[in-house]
Amino acid sequence: QVQLVESGGGLVQPGGSLRLACVTSRITFSMYAMGWYCQTPGKQRELVATITSGGTTTYRDSVKGRFTISRDNAKNTVYLQMNSLRPEDTGVYICNADLRSNLNYWGRGTQVTVSS
């Protein structure tokens, strides 16, 4: 069974940093594009950052210059380094693995709360 397990969330003050990790199993990780999404109550799940199998990255405008997505194919893991955190970054951060329409998987998420 394919698994994506996120970790690294928590409570942090504005301006602080967190590093999220998503460990995958039972997929050929190096072939997949990976993404991080943010879910907040009453809003649709929003794309935060993506990284292709080749390492090309994209970011939502509001996180450019503050967040960095990276991957370690040897560890089947994708990371999200989050710096200069703001209260509006609060949400459940969910990992996604995508190869094609019938090979798309989601984790359960990790809660990030930015508050003083």
Side-chain angles (χ1 to χ4, degrees):
Q1 181 179 352
V2 174
Q3 285 193 315
L4 281 67
V5 180
E6 300 94 336
S7 63
L11 173 64
V12 64
Q13 292 187 340
S17 297
L18 286 173
R19 188 191 194 207
L20 308 183
C22 172
V23 180
T24 70
S25 58
R26 296 188 179 270
I27 63 171
T28 306
F29 179 79
S30 61
M31 296 179 64
Y32 281 71
M34 300 299 298
W36 285 97
Y37 290 71
C38 182
Q39 179 77 60
T40 53
K43 296 179 71 174
Q44 285 190 333
R45 188 173 294 182
E46 295 182 326
L47 180 64
V48 176
T50 65
I51 184 166
T52 68
S53 58
T56 300
T57 58
T58 63
Y59 298 92
R60 186 170 72 190
D61 284 348
S62 63
V63 308
K64 287 180 180 177
R66 300 188 298 123
F67 291 10
T68 302
I69 188 171
S70 62
R71 64 191 298 157
D72 185 336
N73 289 342
K75 295 183 179 180
N76 297 331
T77 302
V78 62
Y79 302 96
L80 186 68
Q81 178 67 45
M82 311 166 71
N83 298 329
S84 302
L85 282 160
R86 305 168 180 169
E88 54 264 37
D89 296 321
T90 294
V92 178
Y93 282 73
I94 303 165
C95 178
N96 174 262
D98 181 66
L99 185 58
R100 54 178 182 260
S101 60
N102 63 331
L103 292 174
N104 185 285
Y105 304 102
W106 295 90
R108 294 191 174 188
T110 184
Q111 176 70 44
V112 171
T113 303
V114 185
S115 175
S116 55

